[in-house]
């Protein structure tokens, strides 16, 4: 939640998001952080050990919000946690931070998860640290087209976490094949029905991959519609399944919340708002279509109007400034004065 709200504040310079970020950051720092520098999924006494997934996500969110600086000492603390859970030097890493004898006695604490490792890699990449073994593990997972995760069953969650790493890692982002595989994975999912959380995750992932403005427009519009149409009257979005905690009595137990869905839908909306203006400026086709339609209408009445209208729209297209729409009447009237001959 904090990472999403902080991203919205950064992209839109949204001052009202500041107090929300500050409150969330204080809670994460003061009520969830353990003395060894790790985090747990639950607050207070937990039946689960601390883990690298929550630790990496908490640090990424705190850094994004500006509430925490991961300095040399903090990186050293995180490195010690990684070493305690590594399968080999440089990764990949096991999820759970348990003592070796406990891990040896119970295989449940020995899993290696692609989403968890993507979050670890994202945090490190933000500080210019790229681990070759960890990067290779993630690349290999992407090559399977639909990576599996014990804790996140949605392909959109997989894409969201992996794309965050790609956005922070120039080496992977330059790999066109990697971006294509992730994009294909998201677009295949968008061909079916999504809930608003999955739609928001898809938009964010495509934006981080760098393919939001180059993929199938109808599929993207469908995801946008899903986000827009499912917003409740109070401005929130409904709870959707995001995280898989465990299986009880043969049934999978999913967790999510309205607050989490809302935060991610807000992040997706901020990314869209940040992308629409450059996309419109770079693509003059809509203005050309308007120009041609108006030219046809006016030319049937009087060619004098057609040429005036054409000059006005051409001026708008060249300027590429959406604020000029307020001056449309003025520029249209001026076009008659500026009529050549």
């Amino acid at each position: 939640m904090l990472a999403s709200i902080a991203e919205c504040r950064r992209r839109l310079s949204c001052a009202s998001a500041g107090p929300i970020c500050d409150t969330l950051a204080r809670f994460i720092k003061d009520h969830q952080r353990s003395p060894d520098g790790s985090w747990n999924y639950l607050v207070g006494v937990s039946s689960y050990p601390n883990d690298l997934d929550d630790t990496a996500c908490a640090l990424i969110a705190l850094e994004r919000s500006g509430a925490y600086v991961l300095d040399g000492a903090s990186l050293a603390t995180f490195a010690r946690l990684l070493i305690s859970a590594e399968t080999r030097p440089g990764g990949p890493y096991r999820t759970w931070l348990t003592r070796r004898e406990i891990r040896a006695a119970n295989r449940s604490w020995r899993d290696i998860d692609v989403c968890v490792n993507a979050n670890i890699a994202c945090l490190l990449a933000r500080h210019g640290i790229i681990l070759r073994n960890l990067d290779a593990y993630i690349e290999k997972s992407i090559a399977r087209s639909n990576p599996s995760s014990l804790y996140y069953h949605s392909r959109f969650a997989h894409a969201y976490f992996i794309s965050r790493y790609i956005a922070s890692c120039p080496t992977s982002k330059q790999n066109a094949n990697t971006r294509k595989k992730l994009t294909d994975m998201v677009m295949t999912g968008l061909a079916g029905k999504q809930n608003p959380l999955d739609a928001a995750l898809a938009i964010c992932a495509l934006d981080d991959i760098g393919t939001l403005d180059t993929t199938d427009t109808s599929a993207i519009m469908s995801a946008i519609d899903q986000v827009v149409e499912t917003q409740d009257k109070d401005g929130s979005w409904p709870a959707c399944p995001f995280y898989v905690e465990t299986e009880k009595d043969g049934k999978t137990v999913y967790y999510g919340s309205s607050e989490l869905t809302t935060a991610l839908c807000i992040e997706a909306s901020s990314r869209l708002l940040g992308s629409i203006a450059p996309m419109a400026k770079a693509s003059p086709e809509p203005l050309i279509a308007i120009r041609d339609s108006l030219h046809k209408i006016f030319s049937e009445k009087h060619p004098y109007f057609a040429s005036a209208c054409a000059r006005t729209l051409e001026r708008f297209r060249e300027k590429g400034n959406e604020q000029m729409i307020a001056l449309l009447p003025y520029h249209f009237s001026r076009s008659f004065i500026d009529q050549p001959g």
Side-chain angles (χ1 to χ4, degrees), residues 37 73 89 190 248 296:
L190 288 179
K248 297 179 181 179
K296 182 177 184 295

Side-chain angles (χ1 to χ4, degrees), residues 45-121:
V45 179
S46 174
S47 57
Y48 293 97
N50 291 0
D51 64 90
L52 285 174
D53 191 32
D54 285 296
T55 299
C57 286
L59 289 171
I60 291 170
L62 288 170
E63 278 199 316
R64 277 188 172 184
S65 71
Y68 190 85
V69 177
L70 200 62
D71 55 16
S74 300
L75 279 171
T77 298
F78 187 64
R80 285 194 292 271
L81 295 174
L82 291 180
I83 291 171
S84 72
E86 66 185 6
T87 57
R88 58 176 178 166
Y93 300 94
R94 299 181 181 90
T95 301
W96 302 99
L97 296 169
T98 58
R99 296 194 304 273
R100 290 184 180 180
E101 59 270 25
I102 295 177
R103 197 157 52 220
N106 189 340
R107 63 180 300 174
S108 298
W109 308 126
R110 300 200 296 264
D111 70 81
I112 305 168
D113 190 274
V114 63
C115 290
V116 175
N117 277 274
N119 287 325
I120 294 169

Side-chain angles (χ1 to χ4, degrees), residues 2 17 19 21 31 39 55 64 132 143 147 191 216 219 221 248 258 273 285 294 328 336 341:
L2 175 57
C21 288
H31 298 285
W39 269 263
T55 299
R64 277 188 172 184
R132 185 165 55 185
D216 179 22
M221 289 305 300
K248 297 179 181 179
S258 172
L273 287 171
E285 284 82 4
L294 289 177
L328 179 58
F336 291 104

